[in-house]
Amino acid sequence: MVVGVLAIQGDFEAHAGVLVRLGAEARIVRTPADLEGLDALVIPGGESTTMTLGIEREGLAEPLRELVSSGVPTLGTCAGMIMLDRDHLGLLDVSARRNAFGRQVQSFEADLDLNRLGRDGPLRAVFIRAPWVDDYGEDVEVLAEIEGHPVAVRQGNILAVAFHPELTDDGRVHAWLVDQVRQHA
């Protein structure tokens, strides 16, 4: 199982480490050729404007759209949620608000219930300049909220979370991605 981790910006190495611990091969993705033969994809956090410019510079927008639209399980975290939304790659029927919880100094942790994702028990989530979902379509399932704002959503083969699961020892969010590949193999 080969899981690509978009390496335009963000802590892509931490995501790769979690995936390797779960038994997957992690491939750093920087060019369209790196997308060949992937079983799943992670779009990590970072700064969405910088990520957009890097994706455009490398000619990755259309290849990413094709890969995700083909049904490849995809996880977007923090800015990855923004990159998947209607205004960016247009793969997830949501509008995400950048820095919705505030600036870096307003970063926080919270326990989330992701039982609808098939993950028992609370999950400690790290929010750093995190987005939330302002609006979503009828095919989008809200999995978790904070103060009424969706922070984890799923639509088909895409899971998007507003937090950084790679910054904790809890691999359950990444395990969902690995499980999706195994179920569809």
Side-chain angles (χ1 to χ4, degrees):
M1 169 186 327
V2 181
V3 181
V5 182
L6 187 64
I8 299 295
Q9 193 200 22
D11 200 354
F12 51 87
E13 290 174 344
H15 284 282
V18 175
L19 293 163
V20 168
R21 285 193 300 276
L22 293 170
E25 176 187 333
R27 178 189 301 161
I28 299 302
V29 173
R30 290 192 171 104
T31 68
D34 297 331
L35 297 170
E36 295 294 320
L38 292 182
D39 297 305
L41 176 69
V42 175
I43 302 177
E47 203 287 313
S48 58
T49 301
T50 301
M51 291 175 73
T52 298
L53 292 171
I55 287 170
E56 289 175 10
R57 180 187 66 240
E58 298 302 327
L60 276 162
E62 197 53 39
L64 284 168
R65 285 186 190 102
E66 289 172 11
L67 181 72
V68 177
S69 295
S70 76
V72 166
T74 301
L75 169 63
T77 67
C78 198
M81 171 187 272
I82 295 167
M83 297 310 302
L84 290 163
D85 83 356
R86 294 171 184 152
D87 296 327
H88 293 82
L89 292 171
L91 292 162
L92 185 62
D93 190 12
V94 303
S95 288
R97 179 185 296 184
R98 296 176 62 212
N99 301 326
F101 290 102
R103 298 173 106 27
Q104 186 91 13
V105 295
Q106 281 92 27
S107 298
F108 64 97
E109 295 183 18
D111 289 326
L112 299 179
D113 175 1
L114 288 179
N115 289 337
R116 285 185 261 171
L117 192 59
R119 307 293 173 223
D120 293 331
L123 179 127
R124 192 71 175 168
V126 178
F127 293 85
I128 302 170
R129 292 179 23 216
W132 68 47
V133 172
D134 266 341
D135 183 58
Y136 57 92
E138 63 183 44
D139 292 333
V140 175
E141 178 184 9
V142 174
L143 301 171
E145 296 178 333
I146 291 187
E147 298 172 0
H149 302 289
V151 294
V153 296
R154 176 175 51 191
Q155 181 181 0
N157 58 306
I158 301 171
L159 172 63
V161 298
F163 52 92
H164 289 271
E166 77 282 7
L167 296 180
T168 71
D169 291 333
D170 190 329
R172 290 181 286 170
V173 172
H174 292 84
W176 172 86
L177 189 68
V178 171
D179 291 347
Q180 293 301 300
V181 174
R182 288 184 178 131
Q183 288 174 15
H184 297 99

